[in-house]
């Protein structure tokens, strides 16, 4: 059994960055495996057995982008707290699907929620974007310069998915989640991180056109090069190894055992990847949090959606390990101590 003293072992005078609130939003439209059976050559049993996904949410409005999802998630968070949007210092917008290539989505979101005193920017690291955003937010808080940093993970993956490609359309969904980081003096919050990247992944999970290397042209549009493509087997192999390695390393580095871990919050890309990570950590199934069956892979939104869905289970002082793997390749793990009991 983990003792109170062990959970609160940090020096009490040290500033740590703790999550103090969460929020989320998913669109109403449900794209089930049964519906996908009518669109591409696939079936529910095949999708479920290989990915763990039963359905995903899709933002059907053509005139709404990722910012709409992000604003809704941020507003959900604010509705649960007494935080004035004017007191937010910074908004980090983790996304792989910004509204526009140039105008920052995060800046628009900040203004839209009334956080007009905050500066904001976008952070793109594919499915690891939110994990990287947490690290960045914690550094700002621990520096003492800022008191309230909002990290939003949001993606409208349906905007970059080819729904005739059965290898990708079964995986991705739309959604958003948000967390608020604030200073903590009890030793709670972010304790350690192990973040990595490797450019070898550039060719295995990507959108080929629309950037400076292959600008948009009549040819790129005709050749359907503006949707996400992946080499599934290669991505799976790297994801299983690296996400599991990172999670195991963060435990060893902090002298934690499987008994010390209360919850694993893994990126929701594939249930087999999640199972491999949990097995490497020797965790009981009850400690592994998953909502992949409901949402699929929402990329930057997966981690905060899990935190929001299972917030009611978390107790002050709980040890949480977060892990992710994304295109690029990007991956890592964060060791966090939960800072509050849900009221």
């Amino acid at each position: 059994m983990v003792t109170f003293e062990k959970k609160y072992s940090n020096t009490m005078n040290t500033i740590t960055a703790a999550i103090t609130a969460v929020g989320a939003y998913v669109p109403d439209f449900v794209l089930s495996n049964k519906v996908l059976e009518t669109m591409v050559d696939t079936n529910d049993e095949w999708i479920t057995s290989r990915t763990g996904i039963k359905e995903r949410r899709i933002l059907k409005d053509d005139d709404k982008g990722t910012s709409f999802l992000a604003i809704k998630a941020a507003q959900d968070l604010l509705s649960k707290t007494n935080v004035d949007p004017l007191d937010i210092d910074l908004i980090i917008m983790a996304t792989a699907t910004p509204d526009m290539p140039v105008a920052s989505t995060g800046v628009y979101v900040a203004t839209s929620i009334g956080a007009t005193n905050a500066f904001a920017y976008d952070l793109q690291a594919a499915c690891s974007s939110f994990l990287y955003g947490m690290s960045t937010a914690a550094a700002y808080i621990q520096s003492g310069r800022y008191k309230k940093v909002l990290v939003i993970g949001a993606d409208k993956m349906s905007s970059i998915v080819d729904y005739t490609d059965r290898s990708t359309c079964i995986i991705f969904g739309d959604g958003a989640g948000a967390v608020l980081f604030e200073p903590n003096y009890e030793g709670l919050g972010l304790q350690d991180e192990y973040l990595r990247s490797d450019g070898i992944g550039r060719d295995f999970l990507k959108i080929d056109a629309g950037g400076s290397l292959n600008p948009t042209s009549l040819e790129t549009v005709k050749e359907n090069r503006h949707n996400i493509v992946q080499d599934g087997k290669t991505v799976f192999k790297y994801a299983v190894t690296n996400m599991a390695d990172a999670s195991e390393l963060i435990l060893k580095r902090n002298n934690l055992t499987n008994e010390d871990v209360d919850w694993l919050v893994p990126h929701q890309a594939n249930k087999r990847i999640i199972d491999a990570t949990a097995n490497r950590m020797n965790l009981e199934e009850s400690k592994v949090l998953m909502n992949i069956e409901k949402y699929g892979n929402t990329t930057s939104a997966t981690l905060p959606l899990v935190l929001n869905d299972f917030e009611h289970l978390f107790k002050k002082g709980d040890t949480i390990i977060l892990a992710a793997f994304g295109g690029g390749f990007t991956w890592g793990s964060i060791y966090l101590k939960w800072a509050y009991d849900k009221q």
Side-chain angles (χ1 to χ4, degrees):
M1 183 175 179
V2 180
T3 64
F4 180 87
E5 289 76 14
K6 188 168 185 177
K7 284 189 173 184
Y8 291 82
S9 59
N10 274 21
T11 305
M12 296 304 170
N13 293 325
T14 302
I15 298 176
T16 51
I19 293 173
T20 58
V22 299
Y25 176 78
V26 292
D28 293 330
F29 182 82
V30 176
L31 179 58
S32 68
N33 290 348
K34 289 296 184 182
V35 174
L36 279 173
E37 288 179 4
T38 68
M39 299 168 60
V40 291
D41 183 16
T42 190
N43 61 73
D44 174 66
E45 190 280 329
W46 192 93
I47 297 171
T48 304
S49 64
R50 285 161 177 78
T51 68
I53 301 168
K54 281 288 187 182
E55 57 190 39
R56 62 290 292 148
R57 301 298 184 94
I58 303 297
L59 181 59
K60 296 292 284 185
D61 306 77
D62 291 336
D63 62 339
K64 293 182 174 65
T66 293
S67 63
F68 175 81
L69 302 168
I71 290 165
K72 288 288 191 180
Q75 289 172 336
D76 181 54
L77 181 150
L78 292 170
S79 72
K80 301 173 184 176
T81 71
N82 60 0
V83 173
D84 185 337
L86 294 174
D87 292 334
I88 297 174
D89 300 304
L90 163 64
I91 293 178
I92 300 173
M93 179 75 220
T95 185
T97 56
D99 284 3
M100 304 175 186
V102 175
S104 169
T105 302
V107 171
Y108 178 72
V109 171
T111 300
S112 299
I113 66 171
T116 52
N117 290 325
F119 73 101
Y121 59 84
D122 296 355
L123 188 158
Q124 208 279 71
C127 293
S128 301
S129 297
F130 190 82
L131 199 72
Y132 283 22
M134 289 179 65
S135 169
T136 308
Y140 279 116
I141 293 290
Q142 290 164 354
S143 74
R145 290 184 177 181
Y146 304 110
K147 302 296 184 185
K148 289 179 171 59
V149 178
L150 186 63
V151 185
I152 305 171
D155 273 303
K156 185 182 178 182
M157 293 303 294
S158 61
S159 67
I160 57 171
V161 167
D162 176 1
Y163 284 94
T164 66
D165 176 9
R166 66 177 183 174
S167 67
T168 55
C169 72
I170 66 170
I171 298 170
F172 296 102
D174 302 338
V179 302
L180 181 67
F181 274 96
E182 296 185 89
N184 183 276
Y185 300 92
E186 299 178 275
L188 302 172
L190 198 148
Q191 306 294 304
D192 194 14
E193 62 183 46
Y194 178 78
L195 305 178
R196 288 295 181 269
S197 60
D198 187 342
I200 195 173
R202 181 177 170 112
D203 292 329
F204 300 120
L205 179 55
K206 64 180 179 178
I207 294 176
D208 184 55
S212 60
L213 184 62
N214 296 302
T216 303
S217 66
L218 212 55
E219 182 182 357
T220 63
V221 173
K222 285 181 178 178
E223 293 175 353
N224 198 25
R225 293 166 61 191
H226 293 268
N227 290 318
I228 191 167
V229 294
Q230 69 170 353
D231 178 339
K233 289 184 179 179
T234 302
V235 173
F236 181 84
K237 180 183 71 174
Y238 276 94
V240 166
T241 301
N242 289 321
M243 210 164 104
D245 284 351
S247 301
E248 183 182 38
L249 186 145
I250 207 84
L251 294 186
K252 289 181 177 178
R253 194 155 82 179
N254 290 277
N255 297 314
L256 297 171
T257 69
N258 61 324
E259 294 295 324
D260 297 318
V261 177
D262 294 296
W263 309 105
L264 172 65
V265 176
H267 173 54
Q268 308 286 302
N270 185 302
K271 186 177 183 298
R272 291 185 293 167
I273 298 172
I274 296 171
D275 290 343
T277 302
N279 289 337
R280 182 76 68 82
M281 298 170 69
N282 196 25
L283 285 184
E284 301 169 14
E285 187 177 345
S286 61
K287 292 183 175 184
V288 183
L289 303 182
M290 285 188 283
N291 56 16
I292 189 172
E293 73 282 355
K294 296 191 298 180
Y295 307 134
N297 182 354
T298 54
T299 306
S300 307
T302 61
L303 295 181
L305 280 175
V306 173
L307 292 176
N308 182 78
D309 280 4
F310 294 97
E311 180 193 18
H312 64 284
L313 297 180
F314 302 154
K315 304 299 181 187
K316 185 176 180 179
D318 276 1
T319 292
I320 299 175
I321 303 298
L322 300 99
F325 180 88
F329 291 127
T330 61
W331 72 94
S333 183
I334 281 179
Y335 162 30
L336 182 86
K337 288 184 179 179
W338 198 249
Y340 64 94
D341 296 316
K342 186 177 181 182
Q343 299 301 314

